[in-house]
Amino acid sequence: MAVIDCETESALAMTRDRYGRTVHAGAAAAARARRDKAAVEAYATHLAPHAEALIDAARLVLDRLPPARHLAGWRAVLDGPAASAAVIRQALDHPAAPGSPAERAQHALLWPHLIAWADHGSIASDLADQRDRRHHTNPLTGNEQQMWTERAQAAQRRGELDLIESWYAADGQPITLAYVVEDDDSTVIALRGDPGVPGWLVIGHFPNEYGAGKALPAPVPPGVLRQDVSRFNRPPSAPELSLQDLIRDVVEGKTAGDASNALLGAVQRSYTAGPMVRLQELLETSAQFAGALETAQGRQAAARLSALGRQIEFLTH
């Protein structure tokens, strides 16, 4: 689906002007029809024989996981692909005549169901994979764990504990990978707990990130910050001027009005918002993402991004 989406976006780009407005409607419609057909064929080949079994396996794993607040969310997310699989199966069992307008209409109606799998199918796969994962056992003795935790805490005080990635294990415990840097040498370690507050412990050290990923508890499948947003069904972008265009308008301008209009273009709001307004939106959205991490450093980043967003708003005014 990602390959199909990239090919379609390249084709659609040829139908738009410099501001993103569609100027060749027929060519755009043909590109979307090719996209819909390719997506149906890909699903029929790779997923149709396995979709229902995959959902069943994922739900079985959810039923066996220890109670945690995220489980209801994963069940809700799985309901979408499950319902879509039934709709797609019905259409595949009763296909329209090949090459007919009815087939194009049928494929277009299936597109929302196909992107439900493209967006959330990996969650079902990740859950099903956990069925075969072994439970992590702490490879460190009590003394070793204390020693590595003290080494990591000392590196953190020196500013030489470089965090790599964080996730939640199925038992709800946060796990973080990090590099401990000592005398120009670094070791990959895993922490349990929030590295931004006291109380975390080192639960293992590894030769590399790949080895850590194989040995540590599997992450809970990634959440969906906004379930109604899809990379495969984006609304048309609003036409906008780039900063380079605005700068060029000033450089090539002949009157003070040319310069003031360029500045106005940078700060105008509404549908055709300027770059300053878009920058503020980027900071605010990133702050929401940072806050959703639910860690001390995530909350700090969220607060800083929000403060920067307010400064941009002040500058815009």
Side-chain angles (χ1 to χ4, degrees), residues 125-283:
S125 298
D126 289 344
L127 279 168
D129 284 345
Q130 292 198 29
R131 177 182 55 185
D132 302 320
R133 289 279 192 125
R134 291 175 299 175
H135 292 291
H136 171 71
T137 55
N138 190 349
L140 303 178
T141 65
N143 290 336
E144 289 175 329
Q145 184 173 56
Q146 181 178 357
M147 179 194 71
W148 275 99
T149 300
E150 291 174 352
R151 288 175 63 178
Q153 290 171 342
Q156 187 179 50
R157 290 191 293 270
R158 297 193 306 270
E160 293 181 333
L161 182 67
D162 297 333
L163 305 184
I164 304 170
E165 185 61 88
S166 295
W167 68 84
Y168 282 91
D171 61 1
Q173 287 291 316
I175 294 177
T176 297
L177 282 186
Y179 285 115
V180 171
V181 181
E182 298 172 311
D183 300 326
D184 295 328
D185 190 24
S186 61
T187 303
V188 177
I189 64 170
L191 320 175
R192 185 174 63 239
D194 186 342
V197 297
W200 53 266
L201 296 171
V202 174
I203 60 173
H205 59 89
F206 310 92
N208 50 53
E209 295 177 42
Y210 177 78
K214 297 291 286 184
L216 291 168
V220 168
V224 180
L225 187 61
R226 295 180 174 86
Q227 293 188 31
D228 58 341
V229 174
S230 169
R231 63 162 291 187
F232 300 100
N233 202 29
R234 293 170 178 157
S237 299
E240 61 183 13
L241 285 171
S242 70
L243 281 174
Q244 293 184 43
D245 289 332
L246 295 174
I247 294 169
R248 187 161 53 243
D249 288 345
V250 177
V251 172
E252 298 174 355
K254 295 180 174 62
T255 67
D258 294 330
S260 66
N261 283 335
L263 289 172
L264 178 61
V267 300
Q268 67 182 353
R269 299 181 182 275
S270 74
Y271 179 68
T272 55
M276 289 282 284
V277 177
R278 297 297 187 203
L279 176 59
Q280 181 188 347
E281 293 175 356
L282 172 63
L283 293 170

Side-chain angles (χ1 to χ4, degrees), residues 1-27:
M1 283 293 283
V3 172
I4 293 170
D5 181 60
C6 288
E7 292 174 346
T8 303
E9 283 303 312
S10 297
L12 290 175
M14 302 298 292
T15 71
R16 300 173 180 140
D17 63 14
R18 63 185 291 203
Y19 303 113
R21 296 174 299 205
T22 299
V23 292
H24 302 293

Side-chain angles (χ1 to χ4, degrees), residues 63-119:
D63 292 339
R64 293 176 176 175
L65 288 177
R69 61 179 179 172
H70 51 257
L71 297 187
W74 305 143
R75 289 192 177 92
V77 169
L78 287 177
D79 287 343
S84 292
V87 174
I88 300 170
R89 169 57 59 192
Q90 176 72 15
L92 293 178
D93 289 342
H94 302 87
S100 66
E103 183 189 51
R104 290 193 292 274
Q106 186 181 58
H107 290 171
L109 289 174
L110 290 180
W111 177 249
H113 300 287
L114 294 164
I115 64 175
W117 273 93
D119 286 323

